[in-house]
C-alpha cells in the first residue's frame, strides 16, 4: 500500500528554488535513504514534507490525503513526524517535558500513558534522566530524546534529518539498531544521511539528490556497489 | 580589505537617485510656501522633520538598529541654539530661567553660529553616548536608546540650571525666510546620499544583513555603527535647532515621545533603507497631516472642504502607520532609491 | 522601615506582573508590544466606568474587556505581521499604541476620568506602633499570589510547557504539534488578564485615568524584561521586580531629588546592559536569533 506519494514537488526560500520537480512514492514499512552532497536540498525536502516550509507547487499525499501546504502542527497530527537536523531538543526543559511536547501532536490521547512507556522501553534515557534538563544530556542521549519525542506523536511516517551527525561510532550503531526496531514495528522511515556507507546497508532504496533533483534511485544491492553509488553521486564519467 | 568586494555593486552613484529627491523637496517647498503664510510655516516645520528623518535614516536605515534616542540629540541641539539666540533680557527676567547657570546666561551666538554649535553639540552627545550604546544589539539596543531619551528628558524637564525646565524658552531668533532651512536640508540630503554610498555606509549595511558574517570578515561593527550614530547625532542636533528657530521657542516636551513617534513613523512609512524613502515618508505623512488639519479647521484643500472632527488627524496618522506596515513592511519606497520611470530611461539610453 | 519594604515589594510585584505580560507575548512572537500600555489603560477605564457596581463585578468586566482587546490586537494587527522583522513589529506596536490613545481621547476625553475605587483600601493597619497602608499590603500579597499562580501555569501545565518551548524555538514546537495560532492567541489573552490586574492595582493607587495612563508602567516594564533577560519568562518577571523595587526605593530615599529617580533608574539599566547585554538571567552572551 502506498503511504507517501510525492509528485512534482517544488520548494525553496523566497525567490530561490531549492527543490525541482521531486517525485517518489513509498510503501508502508519501507525505509528510504536520501544521500547527496551538502546544499542539494535534502533537508529542505524533509522540511517541506513536514510542513515547516511551504511548497511552491506539487503534491504530497499521506495515505492518499493531500497534506502539502498544511501547517506542520496539522501534518504531525495526520501521522507524519520529523526529527530535525541537530535534534533541536529544548535544552531548558526537562527530558519529560520534552516528551510531553510530543504528546501535543498525538491524536489518540487515551493511550498517551502506554506510549510513554513504550518509547521509554526503547530509549531508557527517558526513565533514567526524566527530571534532568535536556540540555545537560550527551549527544547520543539527546538524539534518543529527539527520536522518542517524535515517536510519541504516533507517526506512520518518520522523517529523520542526519540522525548520526556528531555521534560517536558505537552510539551510531545503537541508533541504527533502534531505528530498525522502529521499522520492524511498522513505521515507514525516510532518512537523510551523509554517511552513505551506513544508510546503504540499512535502507531498502537510496535516493541520490543533486542540485534539487533526484539524480538516481538505487535499490539496496546497487547502492552497496561503491562504483554505482559514486557514479550516481558525482554524475556519470567519474571513474575511480 | 575584504569588505569592499563584499558589498561592491550594492549601490553605485546614479544622478537620478539624488537629483529627483532634491528637486521634489526644493520645488514643492518653494511652490507651497508661496501660497499662504500658514503653508510657509508648515513647510518650515516639515523641513525640520525632514532633517530629523534624514538623521534617523543615516543610523536606523543603514544599521537596522532601532533608535528611540535621537530625540535627545534634538533636545540638546534645540537647547544650545535656543539659549544662544534668546535675548539677554529674557534670559535674565523670565521666571523659568531665574536659576539658569551664569555661563549659559552669557552664552550668545548669531543664528548661523548657533546652528553650527547645535550640530556640534548633537554630534558630541551622540559620539559620547554611542560609545556605550553601540556595544548593544537588537532589543537591548532599542531599550537602551529609550533609556537615553528618558534620562535626557527627565533632566532637562526638571533641572532649571541648564534651561527653562518644564516651561518654554521664548524669544529664540527665527528664520527670516525659507532659504536657510531649505539650503540646510538640501545639503543634508546630499551628504546623506553620499554617506549611504560611501564605504562606511555600505559596510554598515553589510553588518545589517549579517552580523556574524561581517564580523568574520573583520568589520569592526561597533566602530562603523558609532560613526554613523555620531553623524546622525549631528543632523538630529541640527534638526532640533531648526525646529526651535521655526517656532521661536524651545520646550523640551516638543522633542519627546510625540516627536519620536512622528519622525520614526515618517521614516518607516517611507521606507528606512533609502534617502528616497526618508523624503517620501516625510512628504506623505506631513502632507496628509496638513490636509487633515485644514479639514479639521474646515478650510479648503485644492478647493475641497470636508468637515472633520478635531482629533481625526492624530488617529489617521497613527492608523496610517499601522496600515502601511501591514501592507508594505518595507515602507512605500520598498527600500529602494527612486528609479526613473521606464519611458524616461529609454530616452536616456537612446 | 516596614512600610518602605512593603512599598518596594508591592511596586516590584506590580512591575513583575506587567513585565510577565509583555514577556509572554515577546516569547511566542518576538514582539515588543508597546500597545500593552493601552491594555492597562482600558482596564483602568473599565474600572472607573463601573465604579457604581460592586468592585468584583467591575473587575471581572475589566478582565473580560482587556483580554478581548488583547486578542483583537493579535487577530487584527499582529497576526498579519508575523515573520516581519522585530524592529518593524516594534514600530507597528508603537503606532497601534498611539492610535488607541487617540481613540481613548475621542471616547473618554483628554482629561482624567476619576472615581473612587475600593475606598476601603486606602486605610491603614496598625501593629504595635507600626502602621502600614492597606494598599501596599494587599498589593504585595496579591502580586505574590499571582506570581505563584503564573509560576504554576508555566511549569506544571501543558500550556506552560508549550509556551516555554515555543519561546525557545517556535518552528520545532510546531513540528511536534504545538498549534501556533492557538498558543499565540492564548498568550495574548493571558497577557490581557495580567494587564487587567496591573490596571486595577494602578487605578486603586491613582484613580485619575487619562489616555496615556499605562504608558509609564509599560516603558518601565519593558526596561524590566530587557534587564532580566528577554528570552526567559522568569527573567522577565525578575527584571520587572527589580525595576519596581529600585524605583520605589529611589522615591523614598531621594526626597526632593525624586524627580530624577527615572534618570537614576535608567542609569542603572545602562550599566546592567553594558555588563550583561543579554540580561541578568541570560546564559552568557547569546546573539539574538531574530
Amino acid at each position: 500500500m502506498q503511504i507517501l506519494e510525492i509528485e512534482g514537488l517544488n520548494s525553496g526560500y523566497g525567490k530561490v528554488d531549492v527543490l525541482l520537480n521531486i517525485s517518489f512514492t513509498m510503501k508502508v514499512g519501507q525505509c528510504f535513504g536520501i544521500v547527496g552532497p551538502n546544499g542539494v536540498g535534502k533537508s529542505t525536502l524533509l522540511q517541506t514534507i513536514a510542513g515547516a516550509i511551504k511548497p511552491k507547487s506539487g503534491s504530497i499525499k499521506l495515505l492518499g490525503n493531500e497534506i502539502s501546504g498544511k501547517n506542520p502542527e496539522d501534518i504531525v497530527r495526520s501521522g507524519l513526524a520529523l526529527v530535525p537536523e541537530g535534534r533541536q531538543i529544548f535544552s531548558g526543559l526537562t527530558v519529560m517535558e520534552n516528551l510531553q511536547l510530543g504528546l501535543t501532536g498525538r491524536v489518540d490521547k487515551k493511550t498517551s500513558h502506554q506510549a510513554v512507556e513504550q518509547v521509554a522501553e526503547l530509549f531508557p534515557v527517558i526513565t533514567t534522566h526524566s527530571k534532568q534538563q535536556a540540555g545537560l544530556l550527551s549527544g547520543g542521549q539527546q538524539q534518543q530524546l529527539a527520536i522518542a519525542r517524535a515517536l510519541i506523536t504516533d507517526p506512520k511516517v518518520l522523517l529523520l534529518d542526519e540522525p548520526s551527525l556528531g555521534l560517536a561510532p558505537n552510539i551510531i550503531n545503537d541508533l541504527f539498531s533502534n531505528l530498525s526496531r522502529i521499522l520492524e514495528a511498522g513505521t515507514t522511515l525516510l532518512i537523510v544521511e551523509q554517511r552513505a556507507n551506513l544508510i546503504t546497508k540499512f535502507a531498502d532504496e537510496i535516493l541520490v539528490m543533486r542540485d534539487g533533483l533526484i539524480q538516481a534511485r538505487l535499490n539496496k544491492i546497487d547502492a552497496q556497489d561503491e562504483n554505482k553509488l559514486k557514479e550516481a553521486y558525482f554524475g556519470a564519467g567519474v571513474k575511480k | 580589505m575584504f569588505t569592499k568586494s563584499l558589498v561592491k555593486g550594492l549601490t553605485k552613484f546614479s544622478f537620478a537617485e539624488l537629483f529627483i529627491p532634491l528637486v521634489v523637496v526644493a520645488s514643492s517647498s518653494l511652490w507651497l510656501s508661496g501660497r499662504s503664510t500658514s503653508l510657509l510655516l508648515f513647510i518650515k516645520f516639515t523641513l525640520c522633520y525632514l532633517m530629523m528623518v534624514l538623521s534617523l535614516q543615516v543610523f536606523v536605515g543603514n544599521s537596522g538598529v532601532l533608535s528611540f534616542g535621537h530625540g535627545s540629540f534634538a533636545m540638546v541641539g534645540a537647547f544650545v541654539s535656543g539659549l544662544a539666540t534668546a535675548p539677554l533680557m529674557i534670559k535674565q527676567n523670565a521666571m523659568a530661567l531665574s536659576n539658569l547657570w551664569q555661563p549659559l546666561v552669557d552664552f550668545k551666538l548669531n543664528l548661523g553660529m548657533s546652528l553650527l554649535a547645535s550640530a556640534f553639540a548633537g554630534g558630541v552627545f551622540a559620539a559620547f553616548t554611542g560609545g556605550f550604546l553601540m556595544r548593544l544589539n537588537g532589543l537591548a539596543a532599542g531599550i537602551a536608546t529609550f533609556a537615553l531619551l528618558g534620562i535626557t528628558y527627565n533632566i532637562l524637564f526638571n533641572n532649571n540650571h541648564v534651561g527653562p525646565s518644564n516651561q518654554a524658552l521664548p524669544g529664540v531668533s527665527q528664520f527670516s525666510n525659507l532659504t536657510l532651512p531649505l539650503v540646510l536640508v538640501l545639503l543634508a540630503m546630499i551628504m546623506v546620499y553620499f554617506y549611504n554610498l560611501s564605504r562606511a555606509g555600505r559596510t554598515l549595511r553589510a553588518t545589517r544583513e549579517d552580523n556574524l558574517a561581517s564580523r568574520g570578515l573583520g568589520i569592526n561593527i561597533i566602530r562603523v555603527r558609532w560613526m554613523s550614530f555620531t553623524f546622525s547625532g549631528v543632523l538630529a542636533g541640527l534638526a532640533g535647532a531648526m525646529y526651535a528657530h521655526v517656532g521661536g521657542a524651545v520646550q523640551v516636551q516638543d522633542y519627546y515621545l510625540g516627536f519620536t513617534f512622528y519622525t520614526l513613523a515618517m521614516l518607516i512609512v517611507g521606507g528606512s533603507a533609502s534617502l528616497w524613502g526618508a523624503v517620501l515618508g516625510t512628504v506623505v505623512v506631513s502632507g496628509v497631516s496638513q490636509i487633515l488639519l485644514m479639514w479639521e479647521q474646515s478650510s479648503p484643500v485644492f478647493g475641497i472642504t470636508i468637515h472633520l472632527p478635531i482629533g481625526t488627524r492624530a488617529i489617521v496618522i497613527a492608523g496610517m502607520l499601522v496600515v502601511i506596515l501591514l501592507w508594505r513592511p518595507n515602507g512605500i519606497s520598498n527600500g529602494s532609491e527612486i528609479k526613473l520611470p521606464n519611458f524616461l530611461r529609454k530616452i536616456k539610453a537612446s | 522601615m516596614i512600610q518602605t519594604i512593603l512599598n518596594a515589594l508591592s511596586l516590584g510585584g506590580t512591575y513583575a506582573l506587567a513585565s510577565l505580560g509583555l514577556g509572554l507575548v515577546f516569547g511566542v512572537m518576538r514582539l515588543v508590544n508597546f500597545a500593552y500600555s493601552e491594555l492597562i489603560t482600558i482596564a483602568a477605564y473599565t474600572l472607573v466606568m463601573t465604579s457604581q457596581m460592586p468592585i468584583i463585578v467591575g473587575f471581572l468586566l475589566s478582565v473580560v474587556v482587556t483580554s478581548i482587546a488583547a486578542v483583537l490586537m493579535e487577530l487584527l494587527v499582529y497576526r498579519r505581521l508575523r515573520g516581519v522583522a522585530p524592529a518593524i513589529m516594534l514600530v507597528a506596536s508603537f503606532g497601534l499604541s498611539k492610535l488607541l490613545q487617540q481613540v481613548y481621547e475621542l471616547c473618554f476625553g483628554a482629561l482624567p476620568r476619576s472615581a473612587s475605587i475600593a475606598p476601603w483600601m486606602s486605610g491603614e493597619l496598625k501593629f504595635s506602633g507600626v502602621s502600614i497602608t492597606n494598599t501596599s499590603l494587599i498589593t504585595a500579597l496579591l502580586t505574590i499570589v499571582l506570581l505563584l499562580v503564573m509560576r504554576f501555569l508555566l511549569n506544571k501545565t501543558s500550556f506552560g510547557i508549550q509556551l516555554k518551548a515555543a519561546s525557545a524555538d517556535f518552528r520545532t514546537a510546531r513540528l511536534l504539534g504545538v498549534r501556533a495560532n492557538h498558543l499565540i492567541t492564548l498568550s495574548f489573552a493571558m497577557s490581557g488578564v495580567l494587564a487587567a490586574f496591573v490596571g486595577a492595582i494602578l487605578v486603586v493607587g491613582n484613580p485619575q485615568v487619562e489616555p496615556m495612563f499605562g504608558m509609564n508602567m509599560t516603558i518601565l516594564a519593558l526596561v524590566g524584561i530587557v534587564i532580566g533577560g528577554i528570552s526567559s519568562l522568569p527573567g522577565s518577571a525578575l527584571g520587572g521586580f527589580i525595576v519596581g523595587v529600585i524605583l520605589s526605593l529611589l522615591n523614598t530615599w531621594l526626597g526632593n531629588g525624586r524627580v530624577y529617580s527615572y534618570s537614576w533608574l535608567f542609569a542603572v539599566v545602562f550599566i546592567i546592559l553594558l555588563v550583561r547585554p543579554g540580561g541578568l538571567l541570560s546564559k552568557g552572551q547569546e546573539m539574538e536569533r531574530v
Side-chain angles (χ1 to χ4, degrees):
Chain A
M1 194 175 64
Q2 314 283 21
I3 187 158
L4 187 65
E5 299 163 79
I6 293 175
E7 187 64 49
L9 186 66
N10 289 286
S11 178
Y13 308 89
K15 284 179 185 158
V16 186
D17 291 321
V18 181
L19 299 182
L20 305 165
N21 200 17
I22 300 276
S23 303
F24 64 92
T25 53
M26 291 182 78
K27 294 200 176 96
V28 175
Q30 275 190 317
C31 172
F32 277 19
I34 301 177
V35 297
N38 272 327
V40 297
K42 301 187 300 290
S43 292
T44 309
L45 175 59
L46 294 196
Q47 301 257 7
T48 308
I49 298 173
I53 299 170
K54 294 265 179 278
K56 294 184 173 174
S57 63
S59 124
I60 307 168
K61 283 186 179 148
L62 182 67
L63 284 167
N65 299 319
E66 187 63 51
I67 57 166
S68 67
K70 284 192 177 175
N71 287 325
E73 58 262 39
D74 297 322
I75 291 177
V76 69
R77 282 180 174 78
S78 51
L80 184 143
L82 167 69
V83 180
E85 189 180 354
R87 313 186 242 291
Q88 310 296 341
I89 55 144
F90 294 100
S91 53
L93 301 183
T94 66
V95 170
M96 197 43 91
E97 284 173 336
N98 267 278
L99 208 57
Q100 276 176 323
L101 269 174
L103 287 175
T104 48
R106 189 182 174 89
V107 181
D108 184 6
K109 305 276 184 205
K110 281 181 212 147
T111 52
S112 297
H113 197 70
Q114 287 141 273
V116 174
E117 279 173 6
Q118 274 170 17
V119 295
E121 203 178 303
L122 203 56
F123 300 108
V125 63
I126 288 160
T127 4
T128 54
H129 295 70
S130 77
K131 297 267 179 211
Q132 193 167 31
Q133 294 263 304
L136 300 174
L137 298 179
S138 71
Q141 289 170 325
Q142 291 193 6
Q143 184 60 276
Q144 290 187 14
L145 176 58
I147 296 174
R149 195 178 62 175
L151 270 186
I152 206 143
T153 65
D154 198 15
K156 297 179 187 71
V157 180
L158 184 64
L159 317 181
L160 295 112
D161 197 350
E162 305 260 2
S164 74
L165 197 74
L167 300 183
N170 60 328
I171 308 280
I172 294 176
N173 284 339
D174 292 350
L175 170 75
F176 274 88
S177 72
N178 281 326
L179 288 181
S180 66
R181 287 174 68 182
I182 295 168
L183 195 59
E184 278 159 24
T187 312
T188 309
L189 295 181
L190 180 60
I191 306 173
V192 163
E193 187 53 73
Q194 286 275 11
R195 300 173 197 233
N197 58 330
L198 283 171
I199 193 71
T200 48
K201 275 178 228 150
F202 190 78
D204 303 316
E205 205 168 311
I206 298 290
L207 309 179
V208 183
M209 277 186 75
R210 255 182 71 183
D211 303 330
L213 299 163
I214 294 184
Q215 182 92 355
R217 294 178 63 153
L218 302 173
N219 60 31
K220 196 162 191 163
I221 298 152
D222 285 347
Q224 291 193 52
D225 180 334
E226 204 171 318
N227 286 328
K228 282 195 176 154
L229 183 66
K230 275 200 178 139
E231 196 180 299
Y233 206 97
F234 297 109
V238 178
K239 297 275 179 306
K240 193 175 178 186
Chain B
M1 225 167 73
F2 235 90
T3 57
K4 209 165 181 178
S5 60
L6 175 74
V7 281
K8 195 175 164 187
L10 199 68
T11 37
K12 57 181 197 300
F13 178 71
S14 135
F15 191 65
E17 284 178 11
L18 176 60
F19 194 64
I20 295 177
L22 286 176
V23 169
V24 167
V25 171
S27 59
S28 57
S29 301
L30 293 172
W31 173 58
L32 280 172
S33 62
R35 293 175 68 97
S36 73
T37 36
S38 70
L39 276 178
L40 173 64
L41 191 64
F42 159 69
I43 289 295
K44 283 179 180 170
F45 273 120
T46 304
L47 288 172
C48 302
Y49 284 126
L50 181 52
M51 183 65 94
M52 190 65 191
V53 177
L54 289 171
S55 151
L56 289 169
Q57 199 273 319
V58 164
F59 180 70
V60 178
N62 286 316
S63 74
V65 177
L66 208 54
S67 169
F68 294 100
H70 277 61
S72 45
F73 311 136
M75 281 176 201
V76 168
F79 269 57
V80 167
S81 218
L83 289 168
T85 59
L88 193 61
M89 255 247 314
I90 286 180
K91 286 202 265 187
Q92 281 169 337
N93 297 320
M95 276 295 285
L97 297 171
S98 51
N99 279 327
L100 194 65
W101 193 38
Q102 194 54 42
L104 286 178
V105 179
D106 303 331
F107 182 48
K108 180 79 196 151
L109 296 170
N110 65 28
L111 183 64
M113 288 309 288
S114 81
L115 284 166
L116 271 182
S118 56
F120 180 74
V124 169
F125 192 27
F128 175 71
T129 51
F132 303 102
L133 288 170
M134 297 303 105
R135 292 166 197 281
L136 301 170
N137 274 314
L139 184 59
I143 295 297
T145 56
F146 217 116
L148 174 66
L149 181 70
I151 293 180
T152 316
Y153 176 74
N154 185 241
I155 292 175
L156 293 180
F157 185 82
N158 289 298
N159 192 312
N160 57 11
H161 299 291
V162 293
S165 65
N166 57 1
Q167 308 284 305
L169 169 69
V172 176
S173 15
Q174 283 174 283
F175 290 125
S176 49
N177 54 39
L178 196 60
T179 317
L180 187 53
L182 183 58
V183 168
L184 283 173
V185 166
L186 294 177
L187 281 176
M189 284 169 66
I190 295 171
M191 278 160 67
V192 168
Y193 181 75
F194 282 105
Y195 173 81
N196 289 350
L197 266 183
S198 72
R199 190 167 129 181
R202 285 179 295 143
T203 314
L204 190 59
R205 280 200 300 283
T207 70
R208 173 193 180 139
E209 300 303 325
D210 194 335
N211 224 322
L212 278 177
S214 44
R215 193 171 293 178
L217 290 169
I219 296 177
N220 184 340
I221 296 177
I222 295 177
R223 207 175 69 97
V224 289
R225 274 197 193 153
W226 178 80
M227 278 163 46
S228 138
F229 197 67
T230 306
F231 177 38
S232 76
V234 169
L235 296 182
L238 205 53
M242 282 170 62
Y243 199 89
H245 292 308
V246 171
V250 175
Q251 193 161 17
V252 67
Q253 293 94 312
D254 289 348
Y255 304 89
Y256 194 42
L257 290 176
F259 182 78
T260 303
F261 167 71
Y262 203 55
T263 48
L264 267 179
M266 288 173 177
L267 181 69
I268 303 291
V269 162
S272 66
S274 63
L275 171 69
W276 178 234
V279 171
L280 202 60
T282 313
V283 170
V284 169
V285 174
S286 320
V288 170
S289 166
Q290 177 66 17
I291 291 170
L292 293 172
L293 178 73
M294 289 169 77
W295 278 340
E296 278 181 4
Q297 296 164 345
S298 298
S299 25
V301 179
F302 302 118
I304 304 163
T305 313
I306 298 172
H307 301 280
L308 291 179
I310 308 285
T312 318
R313 182 167 67 126
I315 291 191
V316 172
I317 295 292
M320 189 166 88
L321 173 71
V322 175
V323 170
I324 285 181
L325 287 181
L326 290 178
W327 166 59
R328 244 183 150 150
N330 290 324
I332 305 176
S333 74
N334 213 0
S336 25
E337 293 293 354
I338 188 165
K339 301 274 182 299
L340 279 176
N342 268 332
F343 71 95
L344 277 178
R345 253 185 287 179
K346 277 176 198 149
I347 295 170
K348 206 175 147 193
S350 62
Chain C
M1 184 63 193
I2 290 177
Q3 182 67 59
T4 309
I5 293 171
L6 216 50
N7 282 344
L9 278 182
S10 62
L11 200 62
T14 314
Y15 276 99
L17 288 179
S19 292
L20 207 50
L22 282 162
L24 279 174
V25 166
F26 182 84
V28 289
M29 61 182 298
R30 297 290 177 263
L31 162 72
V32 175
N33 187 12
F34 263 105
Y36 190 71
S37 144
E38 281 55 53
L39 295 177
I40 296 176
T41 312
I42 193 76
Y45 271 128
T46 313
L47 280 172
V48 169
M49 292 300 162
T50 57
S51 60
Q52 302 305 316
M53 302 180 197
I55 177 88
I56 187 73
V57 176
F59 176 68
L60 287 178
L61 262 175
S62 102
V63 170
V64 171
V65 168
T66 314
S67 40
I68 288 177
V71 170
L72 282 180
M73 261 180 202
E74 197 269 319
L75 291 180
L76 297 179
V77 180
Y78 298 131
R79 178 160 294 191
R80 291 149 204 266
L81 281 174
R82 281 204 209 144
V84 167
I88 303 275
M89 287 202 287
L90 178 69
V91 175
S93 82
F94 206 43
L96 185 60
S97 158
K98 283 280 158 198
L99 177 63
L100 290 175
Q101 281 173 17
Q102 300 299 337
V103 172
Y104 292 165
E105 194 173 321
L106 212 63
C107 298
F108 305 106
L111 296 174
R113 291 283 188 114
S114 66
S116 126
I117 291 153
W120 42 272
M121 274 185 64
S122 54
E124 286 198 340
L125 275 178
K126 284 197 165 63
F127 298 105
S128 56
V130 188
S131 75
I132 50 175
T133 62
N134 280 342
T135 322
S136 58
L137 183 65
I138 293 172
T139 310
L141 290 176
L142 181 69
T143 56
I144 289 168
V145 169
L146 276 172
L147 288 171
L148 288 175
V149 168
M150 285 302 295
R151 194 186 139 91
F152 173 81
L153 275 178
L154 288 174
N155 288 333
K156 301 290 173 202
T157 65
S158 168
F159 166 74
I161 293 167
Q162 291 185 35
L163 196 69
K164 284 196 285 184
S167 304
D169 181 353
F170 213 117
R171 202 180 156 101
T172 306
R174 288 184 76 179
L175 282 171
L176 293 167
V178 171
R179 293 187 189 276
N181 287 344
H182 288 202
L183 191 69
I184 291 178
T185 309
L186 211 56
S187 313
F188 268 90
M190 222 157 141
S191 136
V193 172
L194 287 172
F197 275 100
V198 173
I201 292 170
L202 287 184
V203 84
V204 167
N206 166 32
Q208 304 275 322
V209 186
E210 36 85 37
M212 290 173 74
F213 182 79
M215 197 78 185
N216 255 336
M217 186 79 195
T218 304
I219 291 174
L220 293 176
L222 265 178
V223 169
I225 70 170
V226 172
I227 64 171
I230 33 180
S231 46
S232 111
L233 284 172
S236 302
L238 176 74
F241 187 78
I242 292 175
V243 165
V245 169
I246 294 179
L247 201 60
S248 170
L249 294 180
L250 283 172
N251 279 336
T252 313
W253 291 337
L254 288 178
N256 283 337
R258 82 173 57 154
V259 288
Y260 297 116
S261 52
Y262 285 123
S263 290
W264 291 111
L265 175 76
F266 284 137
V268 173
V269 170
F270 253 17
I271 294 166
I272 293 179
L273 285 181
L274 286 176
V275 179
R276 289 192 74 101
L280 291 172
L281 282 199
S282 74
K283 298 179 184 95
Q285 191 175 354
E286 43 188 307
M287 291 293 276
E288 234 171 293
R289 284 187 298 115
V290 291

